[in-house]
């Protein structure tokens, strides 16, 4: 244990060395004083003695009597202080000495610290003229021992006095420190240690000090601190009594604030989910119907327009996703995907979206490709395309004449990836420096006047800057000036797709021999476009020449001589002479011996331009902006040297269906309560050779899965009876039972309009494998199914080799080969958009009429039912009923009713009750729809068969119907009509009508059971 170190001990230990040093100093000072005094006294005695014997010594020196000199010196030595004497000549020569030290006349050894003393007396003799003549010097010396003999007694006395005095003073100091300071402090410390606080506020030991010095002030300060501390302790004790109630009150306040914040968050999430659902539903119809229409045969011009509309709709869908999920932007959690994509495909979609707008304004849209950028990259094509679309769209919007150039440059490239710089330059209105500074602020535009010429929210560039940062780059305004256009650039870091670099090298190696020796003439009045095409051609290592107009091109072709041009890339619209006229002159010019191939390059891909190009004898046609792969493929084609299959870096063509071949023969369960979405998905999947079973809720899905094997399940989330999440959980629980491995491994894919990140997480938590957001992208849906489905099921019964189920009604009908032709009674409807409704159901009017009759039967009293539910206070049931009515009305084309019911549905979702006027208006609209339905004429009865079918024909018809119920519901209706006509007037007709009723209610298992038990008479029956 460490010994206690008191304040007095530490103070004494600190002072002791200094005290000893002071004592020694006192002794040294006393000795020095005595030494100086004794030394001066001896020096004075020596000087006096020298003057006494000076006359005798002077006579002896004058008479040069050495004996007399020695006698005088010996006489001087009789004095006790003289240790040695000598007489020197004026020149310092020794004349006589007595006892003078021999070892060092000038510096004899000291005794201790004492040195000897000497005195010199000059010997002078008066001459006849009265002057004093120096005869020599008498020197007397006192040894150090002489001085020490006088000093040592004084040293002993001084040392004794100093020790005694110092000891006494030290004792006094110790006593003062210990008994006056340390003991007093110890008492203060003991009193402070013994302080106790109670209700009487008294201390266990009094604390007092009688002196008014610094220590007294310290004691007073301690006393004051004790009183204050005691008061604080009493206040703290009182506060502790109320602390529990205060904490409880604050906790309640925090809980209320938390509940308020959570409520606000739920409202926000519900709003986003609702808006997402409502916007995605029509988008699903748009994209779905575009997909189905594009599968049909149509003119090339119509297909081109629809493909562009499809690309624009997909781009719009991507932007809608960002706007609806703005909470990600606010929280800084916008995710950037890392997927493999084709850069040229992104640019093609960009051109489809802004090319028509540029054509309408007469603006040339140019794209400058850097061939050093690989075509296949890894990144987020949607975000990259969104930035490009925003920048190019703004450039076209703010440009009245001239051009818009999109330039892509490779800044650096390594094994990890490539860093690209993208610049969008326009010749538009430009901006002032102050406008540039505010350009990237949210909801800010360059045109802030009240009479704005240009629309938009001003949010796009702010989002683009954030996206550029997320892609590892940044976005900035490179240059801008009023009337001289603007250039905006951004950089991005992208990874290179696997084998993309090797493919690019292989492309050049394969194209090199075919391109060797080619001479190409590029004709374009736009110098930027001319430069872009020339750069791409030089990358392919061909000999390139340029001309700025048609007349110059003719001259160059005539002067080619022995080095003719193999190919001419001719712009169409040029001043003085258009490209088609220049081509005709080239073909008719006899001075051009070697006729080159001519490819028209134009930004105007209209049918008139193509017709004029054909009439001018063009060999090919390229639409600006030209990509390197399309340019290379066109050159190889027109020169008859074959195309490179991988010239596009593996980009799939319009009809490519990657990963779909494995779907043929698969059996999938589609769980969807919405009739329209169900029909679209069924038609899409059966078009791929997939056998589809249908269920309208989760409960029915669970039952079907237990009875039949499926390769995959497409599951909606929001459904009556049992939603998709509950159904998925039940299916996964079946997999935990013995023998339930197929339920655990069954791919379940969510297919829903709930597209928030939380919805995808909820699907995953429920045991689903993937999440597909509506509107459904057909390619994405089929690719997702292929990815999760391990192996297809049995072949689809009745399927043709092409993969499309056979049988009537599978495809075709009214909508095959073109838009549906509606009967006059449907076109005359005032409250129903029959054309929209027929398109939604696949283009056939008969199923549409059937759905109208079902709507009449099921929703004729929908508003009255809604009133009753609201009167009962069952808001949840009222909301579900209103939501169902809204969906059916929208699918049937009842636009006014759909819009009004949507407003009521929005109120119910906010726990608000619609007023009577709103319900009355909805009922009026519903009556108008019902009146339209009642006005429809009954369909003409099918013609009766010429002769009743034989039992064998009935059995074949029943077998076809049974197979269609399992593979193709679209073929069920005509088969059922044929069967109904065949049994008309027989005992089988009620059973067939019951089967039809069960099929109408989608009770397919019950219908199959009734069909199997249908009593068909034998062959020999009469």
């Amino acid at each position: 244990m460490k010994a206690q170190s008191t304040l007095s001990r530490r103070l004494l230990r600190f002072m002791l060395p200094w005290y000893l040093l002071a004592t020694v100093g006192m002794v040294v000072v006393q000795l020095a004083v005595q030494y100086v005094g004794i030394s001066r006294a001896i020096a004075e005695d020596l000087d006096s003695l020298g003057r006494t014997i000076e006359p005798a010594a002077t006579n002896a020196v004058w008479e040069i009597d050495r004996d007399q000199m020695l006698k005088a010196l010996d006489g001087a030595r009789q004095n006790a202080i003289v240790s040695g004497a000598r007489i020197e000549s004026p020149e310092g020569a020794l004349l006589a000495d007595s006892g003078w030290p021999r070892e060092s006349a000038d510096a004899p050894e000291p005794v201790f610290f004492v040195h000897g003393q000497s005195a010199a007396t000059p010997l002078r003799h008066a001459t006849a003229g009265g002057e004093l003549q120096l005869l020599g010097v008498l020197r007397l010396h006192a040894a150090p021992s002489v001085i020490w003999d006088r000093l040592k007694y004084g040293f002993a006395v001084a040392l004794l006095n100093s020790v005694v005095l110092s000891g006494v003073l030290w004792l006094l100091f110790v006593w003062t420190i210990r008994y006056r300071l340390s003991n007093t402090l110890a008492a203060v410390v003991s009193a402070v240690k013994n302080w106790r606080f109670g209700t009487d506020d008294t201390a266990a030991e009094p604390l007092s000090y009688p002196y008014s010095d610094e220590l007294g002030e310290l004691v007073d300060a301690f006393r004051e601190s004790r009183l204050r501390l005691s008061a604080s302790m009493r206040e703290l004790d009182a506060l502790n009594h109320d602390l529990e109630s205060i904490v409880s009150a604050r906790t309640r306040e925090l809980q209320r604030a938390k509940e308020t914040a959570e409520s606000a968050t739920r409202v926000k999430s519900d709003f986003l989910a609702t808006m997402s659902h409502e916007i995605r539903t029509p988008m699903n119809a748009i994209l779905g119907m575009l997909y189905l229409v594009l599968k049909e045969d149509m003119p090339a011009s119509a297909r081109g327009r629809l493909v562009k509309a499809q690309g624009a709709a997909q781009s719009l869908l991507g932007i809608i996703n960002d706007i609806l999920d703005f909470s990600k932007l606010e929280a800084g959690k916008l995710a950037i995907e890392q997927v493999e994509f084709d850069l040229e495909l992104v640019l093609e979609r960009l051109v489809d979206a802004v090319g028509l707008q540029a054509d309408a304004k007469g603006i040339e849209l140019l794209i400058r490709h850097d061939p050093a950028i690989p075509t296949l990259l890894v990144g987020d094509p949607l975000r990259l395309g969104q930035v490009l679309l925003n920048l190019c769209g703004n450039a076209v919007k703010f440009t009245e004449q001239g051009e818009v150039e999109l330039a892509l440059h490779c800044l650096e490239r390594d094994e990890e990836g490539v860093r690209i710089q993208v610049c969008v330059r326009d010749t538009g209105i430009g901006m002032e420096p102050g406008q540039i500074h505010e350009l990237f602020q949210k909801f800010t535009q360059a045109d802030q006047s009240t009479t704005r010429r240009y629309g938009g929210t001003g949010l796009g560039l702010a989002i683009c800057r954030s996206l550029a940062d997320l892609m590892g780059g940044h976005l900035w305004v490179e240059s801008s000036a009023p009337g001289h256009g603007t250039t905006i650039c951004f950089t991005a870091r992208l990874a290179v797709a696997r084998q993309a670099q090797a493919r690019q090298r292989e492309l050049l190696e394969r194209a090199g021999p075919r391109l060797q020796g080619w001479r190409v003439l590029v004709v374009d009045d736009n110098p930027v476009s001319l430069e872009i095409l020339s750069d791409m051609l030089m990358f392919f290592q061909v000999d390139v020449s340029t001309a700025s107009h048609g007349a110059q091109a003719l001259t160059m072709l005539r002067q080619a001589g022995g080095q003719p041009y193999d190919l001419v890339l001719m712009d169409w619209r040029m001043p003085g002479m258009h490209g088609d006229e220049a081509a005709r002159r080239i073909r008719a010019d006899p001075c051009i011996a070697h006729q080159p191939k001519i490819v028209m390059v134009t930004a105007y891909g209209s049918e008139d331009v193509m017709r004029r190009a054909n009439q001018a004898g063009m060999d090919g046609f390229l639409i600006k902006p030209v990509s390197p792969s399309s340019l290379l493929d066109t050159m190889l084609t027109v020169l008859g040297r074959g195309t490179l299959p991988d010239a596009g870096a593996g980009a799939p063509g319009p009809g490519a269906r990657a990963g779909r071949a494995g779907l043929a023969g698969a059996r999938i369960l589609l769980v969807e309560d919405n009739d329209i979405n169900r029909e679209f998905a069924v038609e899409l999947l059966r078009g791929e050779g997939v056998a589809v079973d249908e269920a309208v809720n989760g409960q029915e899905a669970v039952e079907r899965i237990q009875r039949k094997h499926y390769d995959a399940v497409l599951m909606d989330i929001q459904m009556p009876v049992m939603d998709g999440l509950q159904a998925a959980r039940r299916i996964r629980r079946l997999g935990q039972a013995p023998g339930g491995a197929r339920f655990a491994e069954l791919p379940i894919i969510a297919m829903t309009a709930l597209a928030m990140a939380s919805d995808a997480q909820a699907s995953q938590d429920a045991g689903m494998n993937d999440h597909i957001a509506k509107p459904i992208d057909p390619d994405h849906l089929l690719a997702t199914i292929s990815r999760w489905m391990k192996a297809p099921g049995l072949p689809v019964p009745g399927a043709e080799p092409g993969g499309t189920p056979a049988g009537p009604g599978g495809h075709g009908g009214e909508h095959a080969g073109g838009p549906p032709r509606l009967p006059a009674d449907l076109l005359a409807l005032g409250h129903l958009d029959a054309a929209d409704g027929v398109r939604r159901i696949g283009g056939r009017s008969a199923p549409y009429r059937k759905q109208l009759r079902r709507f009449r039967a099921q929703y004729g009293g929908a508003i009255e039912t809604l009133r009753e539910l609201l009167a009962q206070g069952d808001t949840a049931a009222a909301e579900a009923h209103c939501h169902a009515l809204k969906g059916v009305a929208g699918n049937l084309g009842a636009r006014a009713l759909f819009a009004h019911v949507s407003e009521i549905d929005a109120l119910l979702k906010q726990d608000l009750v619609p007023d009577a006027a709103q319900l009355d208006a909805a009922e009026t609209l519903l009556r108008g729809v019902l009146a339209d339905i009642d006005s429809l004429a009954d369909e003409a009865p099918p013609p009766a068969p010429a002769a009743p079918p034989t039992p064998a024909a009935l059995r074949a018809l029943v077998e076809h119907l049974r197979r269609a119920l399992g593979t193709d519901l679209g073929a069920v209706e005509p088969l059922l009509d044929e069967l109904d006509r065949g049994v008309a007037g027989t005992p089988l007709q009620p059973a067939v009508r019951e089967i039809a009723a069960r099929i109408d209610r989608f009770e397919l298992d019950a219908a199959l059971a009734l069909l199997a038990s249908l009593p068909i008479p034998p062959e020999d029956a009469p």
Side-chain angles (χ1 to χ4, degrees):
M1 182 177 179
K2 188 176 180 180
Q4 184 178 6
S5 178
T6 63
L7 178 62
S8 61
R9 290 178 180 174
R10 292 199 304 273
L11 187 59
L12 292 175
R13 284 199 297 267
F14 176 76
M15 292 299 297
L16 181 60
W18 297 101
Y19 192 83
L20 293 176
L21 183 61
T23 302
V24 174
M26 290 172 57
V27 173
V28 171
V29 169
Q30 291 183 17
L31 290 178
V33 171
Q34 291 186 15
Y35 172 71
V36 171
I38 293 174
S39 297
R40 287 181 178 178
I42 292 178
E44 292 174 355
D45 291 344
L46 290 176
D47 187 62
S48 176
L49 181 59
R51 290 194 300 271
T52 302
I53 66 173
E54 182 265 336
T58 300
N59 292 329
V61 173
W62 175 255
E63 295 175 357
I64 313 176
D65 187 352
R66 179 177 178 79
D67 293 332
Q68 287 296 329
M69 286 188 283
L70 291 175
K71 184 176 179 181
L73 293 176
D74 291 338
R77 287 194 60 195
Q78 297 302 314
N79 196 307
I81 64 173
V82 178
S83 302
R86 65 187 296 177
I87 297 174
E88 298 175 351
S89 66
E91 293 79 12
L94 180 62
L95 300 179
D97 73 277
S98 176
W100 193 268
R102 298 297 180 186
E103 62 277 10
S104 177
D106 296 324
E109 288 295 329
V111 177
F112 297 101
F113 58 86
V114 179
H115 293 271
Q117 289 290 337
S118 298
T121 303
L123 303 178
R124 294 181 176 89
H125 177 71
T127 62
E131 295 180 0
L132 294 178
Q133 181 182 3
L134 180 61
L135 302 179
V137 179
L138 172 64
R139 295 185 182 276
L140 300 179
H141 174 71
S145 58
V146 174
I147 300 175
W148 173 250
D149 288 339
R150 291 191 180 186
L151 184 62
K152 59 184 178 182
Y153 300 105
F155 171 75
V157 172
L159 181 61
L160 181 62
N161 290 339
S162 297
V163 171
V164 172
L165 180 60
S166 298
V168 172
L169 292 176
W170 176 254
L171 293 176
L172 290 174
F173 179 75
V174 170
W175 180 85
T176 301
I177 292 296
R178 177 164 297 179
Y179 293 98
R180 300 299 299 172
L181 177 62
S182 181
N183 291 348
T184 303
L185 286 176
V188 173
V189 171
S190 176
V192 172
K193 286 183 177 180
N194 294 328
W195 275 352
R196 299 292 184 271
F197 296 98
T199 56
D200 57 351
D201 193 25
T202 58
E205 181 178 332
L207 181 61
S208 62
Y209 185 74
Y211 304 103
S212 58
D213 53 10
E214 290 84 351
L215 190 57
E217 293 179 0
L218 177 63
V219 171
D220 293 338
F222 269 117
R223 186 184 299 109
E224 181 68 19
S225 298
R226 176 188 176 279
L227 294 176
R228 292 181 180 179
L229 183 60
S230 177
S232 299
M233 293 294 290
R234 288 197 303 272
E235 293 176 1
L236 182 60
D237 186 62
L239 182 62
N240 285 336
H241 291 305
D242 299 333
L243 183 59
E244 184 175 353
S245 60
I246 295 174
V247 170
S248 178
R250 293 292 176 85
T251 302
R252 287 194 297 270
E253 292 177 4
L254 290 175
Q255 184 65 28
R256 285 195 296 270
K258 178 184 177 184
E259 292 174 356
T260 302
E262 290 177 348
S263 176
T265 301
R266 284 194 299 270
V267 170
K268 176 182 175 181
S269 299
D270 293 342
F271 170 77
L272 289 174
T274 302
M275 290 302 298
S276 174
H277 188 274
E278 298 304 326
I279 293 177
R280 288 169 184 276
T281 298
M283 285 298 298
N284 188 36
I286 293 171
L287 290 173
M289 295 308 167
L290 282 172
Y291 178 81
L292 295 178
V293 170
L294 286 171
K295 293 174 66 176
E296 301 174 359
D297 294 332
M298 64 185 70
S301 59
R303 176 175 294 278
R305 295 188 184 98
L306 289 176
V307 168
K308 292 180 179 180
Q310 186 183 48
Q314 290 170 345
S315 298
L316 176 62
L317 176 62
I319 296 173
I320 288 173
N321 290 337
D322 289 339
I323 296 175
L324 293 179
D325 206 7
F326 68 88
S327 59
K328 290 183 179 179
L329 292 172
E330 292 179 344
K333 297 180 179 179
L334 189 64
I336 293 293
E337 292 185 337
Q338 295 296 324
V339 297
E340 186 172 315
F341 70 94
D342 188 342
L343 179 60
E344 290 191 3
L345 186 59
V346 174
L347 297 178
E348 287 177 8
R349 291 177 178 174
L350 171 68
V351 173
D352 291 342
V354 301
L356 290 178
Q357 183 183 359
D359 286 348
K361 299 181 70 173
I363 300 170
E364 190 165 7
L365 177 62
L366 304 171
I367 297 183
R368 186 189 298 270
H369 290 261
D370 187 346
I373 301 176
T375 303
L376 289 181
L377 300 170
V378 176
D380 195 326
L382 177 63
R383 306 303 180 196
L384 179 62
Q386 181 177 346
V387 177
L388 293 174
L389 178 62
N390 190 284
L391 297 181
C392 293
N394 282 346
V396 172
K397 180 170 63 174
F398 292 105
T399 302
E400 297 300 330
Q401 60 182 354
E403 64 195 22
V404 172
E405 178 190 358
L406 170 64
L408 298 94
H409 302 284
C410 179
L411 296 181
E412 59 183 43
R413 182 172 175 179
D414 51 31
E415 296 180 356
E416 300 297 327
V418 60
R419 189 165 72 93
I420 65 173
Q421 176 175 310
V422 181
C423 293
V424 178
R425 179 187 60 84
D426 62 64
T427 56
I429 62 175
M431 291 179 291
E432 299 283 354
Q435 294 173 320
I436 297 175
H437 179 69
E438 299 177 354
L439 187 62
F440 297 103
Q441 297 181 8
K442 295 182 179 179
F443 306 106
T444 301
Q445 281 197 326
D447 180 13
Q448 293 292 333
S449 63
T450 56
T451 58
R452 290 174 56 192
R453 297 175 54 195
Y454 310 100
T457 63
L459 188 62
L461 287 178
I463 296 177
C464 288
R465 170 168 278 190
S466 299
L467 292 177
D469 293 340
L470 291 174
M471 289 187 290
H474 64 287
L475 186 146
W476 73 95
V477 177
E478 180 70 18
S479 63
S480 184
H484 293 84
T486 301
T487 301
I488 299 180
C489 301
F490 75 92
T491 58
R493 179 75 184 182
L494 301 170
V496 179
R498 292 182 178 180
Q499 301 178 348
Q501 196 169 7
R503 287 183 182 180
Q504 191 175 34
R505 287 196 301 266
E506 181 183 357
L507 173 63
L508 292 177
E509 291 173 359
R510 295 171 60 188
R514 305 184 186 188
L515 302 176
Q516 189 173 5
W518 283 11
R519 294 198 71 198
V520 179
L521 175 62
V522 182
V523 187
D524 200 318
D525 65 303
N526 188 318
V528 178
S529 178
L530 203 65
E531 181 184 356
I532 290 174
L533 287 173
S534 300
D535 289 344
M536 281 192 284
L537 290 169
M538 284 188 289
F539 177 77
F540 293 128
Q541 302 176 1
V542 299
D543 186 1
V544 184
S545 300
T546 60
S548 59
H549 51 82
Q552 183 182 3
L554 282 168
T555 302
M556 295 178 66
L557 289 171
R558 291 168 185 161
Q559 297 175 353
Q563 294 182 332
Y565 290 96
D566 301 284
L567 176 66
V568 176
L569 299 180
M570 181 76 70
D571 188 26
W572 173 59
R573 179 174 289 180
M574 293 184 293
M577 184 189 303
H578 283 338
D580 56 337
E581 177 64 24
R584 278 192 290 267
R585 293 191 181 188
I586 292 172
R587 297 301 187 206
D589 195 331
C591 298
I592 303 177
H594 178 79
Q595 284 289 326
K597 300 291 185 179
I598 305 177
V599 174
M600 177 173 285
V601 183
T602 177
Y604 309 95
S606 64
E607 292 183 3
D608 179 64
V609 175
M610 293 183 180
R611 179 179 54 79
R612 295 175 65 176
N614 291 329
Q615 291 175 354
M618 298 286 187
D619 299 286
F621 198 87
L622 278 173
I623 298 178
K624 296 179 181 179
V626 180
S627 67
S629 60
S630 62
L631 175 61
L632 176 61
D633 195 50
T634 300
M635 288 193 302
L636 291 171
T637 300
V638 299
L639 289 172
R641 308 193 184 184
T643 60
L644 295 178
D646 293 332
R657 295 183 178 182
R660 302 187 191 178
L663 291 180
R667 182 174 295 278
I668 292 177
L669 176 62
L670 173 65
V671 190
E672 170 68 67
D673 65 318
N674 185 281
D675 297 343
I676 301 263
N677 291 334
R678 194 165 58 245
E679 286 195 35
F680 164 68
V682 168
E683 184 171 352
L684 171 65
L685 293 172
R686 286 179 179 161
E688 300 295 329
V690 177
V692 184
D693 287 351
E694 302 176 49
V696 296
N697 58 63
Q699 179 66 43
E700 184 179 346
V702 174
E703 295 172 357
R704 283 180 173 272
I705 287 171
Q706 294 181 75
R707 294 196 303 267
K708 188 182 294 186
H709 173 81
Y710 293 99
D711 297 303
V713 177
L714 294 178
M715 182 83 72
D716 191 19
I717 299 296
Q718 288 186 338
M719 294 182 293
V721 183
M722 180 186 295
D723 63 32
L725 300 178
Q726 293 176 320
R729 294 189 186 97
R730 289 202 179 183
I731 294 172
R732 294 311 185 202
R733 282 199 294 269
L734 291 174
Q736 299 174 1
R742 70 183 183 94
F743 301 110
E745 299 175 357
L746 177 64
I748 305 176
I749 301 170
M751 187 176 63
T752 175
L754 300 174
M756 303 297 290
S758 57
D759 302 320
Q761 184 62 42
S763 303
Q764 182 179 355
D765 295 342
M768 296 187 177
N769 299 82
D770 214 326
H771 182 100
I772 300 176
K774 296 177 182 176
I776 301 300
D777 179 2
D779 291 332
H780 180 54
L781 172 64
L782 296 173
T784 302
I785 296 174
S786 300
R787 183 169 66 252
W788 289 105
M789 195 174 64
K790 292 184 177 179
L794 296 175
V796 182
E800 297 296 331
T804 304
H811 292 286
E814 297 177 39
H815 67 295
R821 298 180 179 87
L822 298 182
D825 58 344
L826 290 179
L827 291 174
L829 298 179
H831 294 83
L832 287 165
D833 186 349
D836 180 62
V838 170
R839 280 195 301 270
R840 289 176 179 272
I841 204 168
R844 291 177 293 175
S845 60
Y848 180 65
R849 292 176 184 270
K850 186 175 182 180
Q851 287 209 3
L852 290 178
R853 291 194 297 270
R854 290 171 63 185
F855 178 80
R856 180 71 174 84
Q858 295 181 19
Y859 292 96
I863 303 302
E864 187 61 32
T865 302
L866 182 60
R867 293 181 193 272
E868 294 175 359
L869 293 173
L870 291 174
Q872 297 170 5
D874 193 349
T875 308
E879 179 187 345
H881 179 71
C882 187
H883 185 79
L885 175 61
K886 178 185 67 174
V888 176
N891 292 334
L892 293 179
R895 297 180 181 274
L897 178 62
F898 171 81
H900 197 75
V901 173
S902 297
E903 295 177 1
I904 297 176
D905 185 48
L907 292 175
L908 293 174
K909 289 183 182 299
Q910 301 175 21
D911 292 331
L912 300 176
V913 179
D915 55 30
Q918 290 174 304
L919 295 176
D920 291 342
E923 187 167 12
T924 301
L925 293 172
L926 177 61
R927 288 174 182 172
V929 172
L930 297 178
D932 275 358
I933 296 174
D934 294 338
S935 69
L936 294 175
D938 293 334
E939 293 182 273
T950 63
L954 283 178
R955 286 193 181 90
L957 193 57
V958 168
E959 178 61 20
H960 283 309
L961 180 59
R962 184 189 65 78
R963 292 169 59 186
L965 285 173
T967 61
D968 187 4
L969 288 180
V972 168
E973 188 173 352
L975 290 172
L976 194 58
D977 291 341
E978 185 179 354
L979 180 61
D980 185 66
R981 293 194 302 269
V983 299
T986 68
L988 296 178
Q989 189 171 19
V992 172
R993 295 288 173 85
E994 177 63 20
I995 292 172
R998 295 296 180 95
I999 293 174
D1000 279 346
R1001 296 193 296 271
F1002 292 97
E1003 299 176 2
L1004 301 184
D1005 290 338
L1008 285 170
L1010 291 175
L1011 197 63
S1013 62
L1014 193 66
I1016 299 176
E1019 289 288 340
D1020 55 355

